[in-house]
């Protein structure tokens, strides 16, 4: 690891090795300024900001007991042993041994489930990795009493979550979160996220995110491969610069509560993310015809009604529809009248800006 701020050789059990169990529910998030491109180890090329969601979460129980033959782990996803998640989690745990040396003294049984339908096309790495990071910090705190202040606990959880999946670093706080160093955000860091909820107009903390499910098939190019392709994208340098400026602009817009300006900034970011995919070598497309149909319908609806509803996209074809609480009725009508024909069988997921993870 290139950054050692949380390495701690003292976190080893001495006299006895305990057993126990902890459960965390941690939400997904949707970025408004996107993280796309990184350098080792999980250092973002630009700062990003996201809304933490409420209804789309992963709930993970981590059970631990003394290891008889060194560290081991079993992973059950939605009740069934899952070898893909097991291998991924083993790799993740081995990678953070210097942060939590006690991992080597334990065997783990991990049971995890998502609130959103399986393979709905919703990325579960942010919610899944943050839930695991929170559980590990909780084990540390229970037995070593080292993370008593909330501030220390969540900072470390965000740092650890980041090592599992970059965007997961932003899920440990509710509301609005920034990950990545920005001269405009006090306390911001490339190593962990910070909450910026207190700086913005309260209207944004009541925002809705209706996730319009267009296509749930597995994507052909993973986010990991997508980040890597930014290394050779000829637009990368200006993109990273633009994202830095966009974060500053969006923060100013959100402080002022300017919902019309918010629309322009957020949609431009979403389209730029996909433009980066289209201009990578090799190039690729994750949006589908129905993604574009929906986007055009949103443009028309906004033009006709002047309601500041906007879309954003993550690395996939599904559309996140963002709007304020008082526009809920009009937007729901719009979805049932105009958007339904372009949705997959899975329909929509109704979500909101949430308050962050919870210990169960
Ligand atoms: O955290 P990762 O490696 O899954 O990358 C997330 C990338 C985007 O969702 C497209 C953008 C973001 O900032 O969340």
């Amino acid at each position: 690891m290139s950054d050692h701020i949380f390495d701690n050789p003292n976190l080893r059990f001495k006299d006895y090795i305990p057993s126990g169990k902890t459960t965390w529910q941690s939400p997904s998030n949707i970025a408004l300024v996107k993280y796309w491109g990184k350098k080792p180890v999980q250092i973002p090329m630009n700062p990003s900001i996201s809304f933490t969601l409420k209804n789309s979460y992963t709930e993970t129980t981590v059970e631990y007991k003394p290891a008889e033959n060194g560290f081991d782990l079993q992973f059950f996803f939605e009740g069934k042993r899952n070898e893909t998640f097991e291998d991924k989690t083993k790799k993740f745990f081995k990678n953070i041994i210097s942060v939590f040396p006690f991992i080597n003294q334990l065997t783990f049984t991990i049971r995890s489930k998502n609130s959103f339908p399986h393979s709905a096309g919703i990325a579960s790495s942010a919610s899944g990795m943050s839930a695991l990071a929170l559980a590990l910090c909780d084990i540390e705190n229970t037995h070593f009493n080292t993370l008593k202040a909330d501030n220390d606990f969540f900072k470390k959880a965000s740092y650890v979550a980041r090592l599992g999946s970059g965007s997961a670093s932003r899920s440990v706080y509710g509301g609005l979160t920034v990950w990545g160093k920005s001269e405009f955000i006090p306390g911001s860091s490339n190593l962990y996220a910070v909450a910026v909820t207190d700086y913005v107009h309260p209207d944004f903390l009541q925002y809705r995110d209706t996730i319009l499910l267009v296509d749930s098939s597995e994507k052909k190019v993973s986010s990991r491969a997508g980040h890597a392709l930014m290394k050779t994208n000829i637009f990368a340098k200006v993109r990273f610069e633009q994202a830095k400026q966009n974060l500053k602009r969006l923060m100013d817009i959100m402080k002022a509560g300017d919902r019309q300006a918010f629309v322009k900034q957020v949609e431009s970011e979403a389209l730029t993310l996909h433009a980066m995919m289209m201009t990578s070598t090799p190039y690729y497309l994750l949006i589908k015809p129905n993604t574009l149909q929906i986007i055009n319908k949103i443009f028309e609806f906004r033009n006709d009604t002047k309601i500041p509803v906007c879309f954003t996209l993550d690395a996939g074809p599904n559309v996140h529809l963002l709007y304020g609480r008082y526009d809920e009725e009009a937007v729901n009508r719009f979805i049932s009248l105009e958007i339904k024909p372009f949705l997959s069988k899975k329909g929509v997921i109704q979500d909101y800006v949430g308050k962050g993870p919870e210990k169960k």
Side-chain angles (χ1 to χ4, degrees):
M1 242 174 285
S2 64
D3 46 84
H4 298 285
I5 61 165
F6 283 107
D7 282 8
N8 185 350
N10 297 325
L11 299 177
R12 278 186 67 82
F13 299 117
K14 295 206 176 68
D15 305 327
Y16 95 113
I17 301 176
S19 300
K21 182 165 136 172
T22 174
T23 299
W24 281 82
Q25 214 175 59
S26 190
S28 185
N29 66 70
I30 180 69
L32 305 171
V33 171
K34 311 289 180 180
Y35 148 58
W36 200 241
K38 61 176 166 180
K39 56 188 178 191
V41 176
Q42 296 276 78
I43 299 298
M45 295 304 291
N46 63 262
S48 55
I49 182 167
S50 56
F51 277 139
T52 298
L53 298 179
K54 180 174 187 297
N55 294 340
S56 306
Y57 60 79
T58 299
E59 185 175 301
T60 300
T61 300
V62 176
E63 238 178 288
Y64 51 96
K65 57 180 193 209
E68 275 158 26
N69 302 307
F71 160 71
D72 201 10
L73 181 155
Q74 284 199 336
F75 200 109
F76 294 84
F77 181 65
E78 289 174 357
K80 283 204 202 87
R81 181 101 180 252
N82 185 310
E83 283 177 15
T84 310
F85 287 157
E86 194 163 296
D87 290 347
K88 217 170 152 184
T89 311
K90 271 187 189 162
K91 228 166 116 194
F92 174 48
F93 276 34
K94 283 184 184 157
N95 209 21
I96 52 175
I97 293 278
S98 55
V99 179
F100 301 114
F102 60 80
I103 285 177
N104 262 338
Q105 300 174 287
L106 298 171
T107 61
F108 298 87
T109 304
I110 299 176
R111 292 173 216 281
S112 190
K113 58 185 184 204
N114 291 338
S115 64
F116 40 90
H118 190 44
S119 34
I122 304 295
S124 59
S125 66
S127 52
M129 285 299 174
S130 54
L132 277 174
L134 288 155
L136 286 168
C137 286
D138 199 23
I139 297 171
E140 171 183 334
N141 205 27
T142 304
H143 299 290
F144 298 91
N145 224 357
T146 31
L147 301 167
K148 274 178 289 215
D150 263 11
N151 198 18
D152 296 339
F153 184 92
F154 289 105
K155 190 170 171 176
K156 182 160 183 178
S158 177
Y159 171 94
V160 172
R162 174 195 119 238
L163 295 171
S165 161
S167 57
S169 65
R170 297 187 308 243
S171 275
V172 308
Y173 299 105
L176 263 173
T177 311
V178 167
W179 168 45
K181 182 83 195 139
S182 162
E183 57 183 302
F184 308 112
I185 313 279
S188 59
S189 168
N190 284 336
L191 306 182
Y192 45 79
V194 292
V196 293
T197 307
D198 291 348
Y199 304 137
V200 304
H201 193 285
D203 275 0
F204 289 110
L205 302 176
Q206 304 206 325
Y207 253 48
R208 273 55 183 144
D209 176 5
T210 304
I211 310 169
L212 307 168
L213 301 171
V214 168
D215 187 299
S216 308
S217 53
E218 200 171 322
K219 53 187 177 191
K220 300 218 166 45
V221 183
S222 67
S223 283
R224 179 192 232 197
H227 285 294
L229 287 172
M230 285 304 278
K231 290 197 188 107
T232 52
N233 187 308
I234 59 162
F235 299 111
K237 206 165 158 230
V238 271
R239 160 59 193 157
F240 300 144
E241 220 24 70
Q242 177 205 37
K244 287 177 196 159
Q245 296 306 322
N246 281 350
L247 176 63
K248 153 95 175 94
R249 261 191 226 128
L250 192 65
M251 283 304 289
D252 289 343
I253 288 168
M254 294 183 88
K255 274 178 205 161
D258 185 345
R259 296 171 58 206
Q260 300 288 352
F262 177 83
V263 166
K264 298 283 169 248
Q265 199 55 72
V266 169
E267 291 188 347
S268 164
E269 266 293 315
L271 294 178
T272 304
L273 169 69
H274 285 262
M276 289 302 108
M277 299 170 193
M278 295 180 210
T279 53
S280 289
T281 311
Y283 50 81
Y284 64 108
L285 275 171
L286 294 183
I287 48 175
K288 301 279 176 182
N290 282 348
T291 313
L292 291 179
Q293 297 276 22
I294 291 174
I295 290 176
N296 281 318
K297 286 284 178 195
I298 296 168
F299 289 161
E300 276 171 30
F301 175 73
R302 199 163 62 224
N303 215 13
D304 294 347
T305 61
K306 309 293 173 230
I307 293 175
V309 49
C310 67
F311 70 85
T312 189
L313 306 164
D314 59 13
N318 300 321
V319 180
H320 289 247
L321 200 56
L322 303 176
Y323 51 97
R325 148 182 191 209
Y326 299 109
D327 296 324
E328 194 156 15
E329 210 184 304
V331 172
N332 279 335
R333 205 171 326 116
F334 161 64
I335 294 171
S336 25
L337 292 177
E338 304 277 347
I339 300 296
K340 278 246 162 83
F342 306 114
L343 299 178
S344 73
K345 283 204 293 290
K346 302 224 158 93
V348 307
I349 295 174
Q350 191 59 60
D351 220 330
Y352 309 84
V353 175
K355 294 198 185 336
E358 272 177 46
K359 183 173 170 163
K360 291 280 131 187

